[in-house]
Amino acid sequence: LIDIDRFKSINDRLGHDGGDLALKTVAAELRKVQRNGDVLARWGGEEFLVIAHGLDFAGAAALSERLRSSIERLSDDDPITVSVGFAPCPFFASDAANKTGWKNALGFADHALYAAKHSGRNGWVGLWPRHHIDHASNSAAVLADPQRALRRDDIEVRASAGTVVWKGGSGA
């Protein structure tokens, strides 16, 4: 998931036409950077969804950085930045047979996106399961307390910033 940082202020400064232009500019740049076969969609408001097949954690982090940095380089005068959150689909191996497993992955990506926002914006955060965690009932516990999941070695987190700040404002 990709969210344009401080989009409301873009609309406030430039009007809705300026906001629409910013959305079109970001979408065009994301299309340039995405890989062949990836899917790009506007996910609502100022959010975009990228579905990228066949990536491991390092590849997803590298793609997130390419997407983020390409938007940052669009303009020196009035820069647009984005925050990115990502997770694999399926998140849990048991989700592979479940037709709603994409919802788990989307929930983790959304949680990672908000962690990127809380960590200062203009960055990315990725959540990835450890191999030994394989049950969808764990998703609520992981989302409720990602730091506990990290301590238990249930998930791995990578981020463009040195410290990840979760909802409550605490870093990890």
Side-chain angles (χ1 to χ4, degrees), residues 86-88 91-92 95 104-105 107-112 115 125-130 132-157 164 166-168 172:
F86 68 88
F91 194 86
F92 299 104
D95 285 344
N104 265 349
F108 283 104
D110 191 53
H111 202 68
V125 172
L127 298 177
W128 217 261
R130 295 291 191 176
H132 66 272
I133 183 172
D134 185 29
H135 197 278
S137 66
N138 288 321
S139 63
V142 171
L143 291 174
D145 192 353
Q147 289 175 308
R148 181 173 184 261
L150 278 166
R151 286 191 304 272
R152 292 180 50 184
D153 199 35
D154 289 340
I155 62 170
E156 184 178 349
V157 175
V164 176
W166 303 100
K167 259 194 257 187

Side-chain angles (χ1 to χ4, degrees), residues 32 40-42 55 64 67 89 112 114 127-128 141 146:
K32 287 183 203 172
L40 171 67
R42 185 165 171 204
L55 294 175
S64 294
L67 294 167
C89 184
Y114 279 97
L127 298 177
W128 217 261

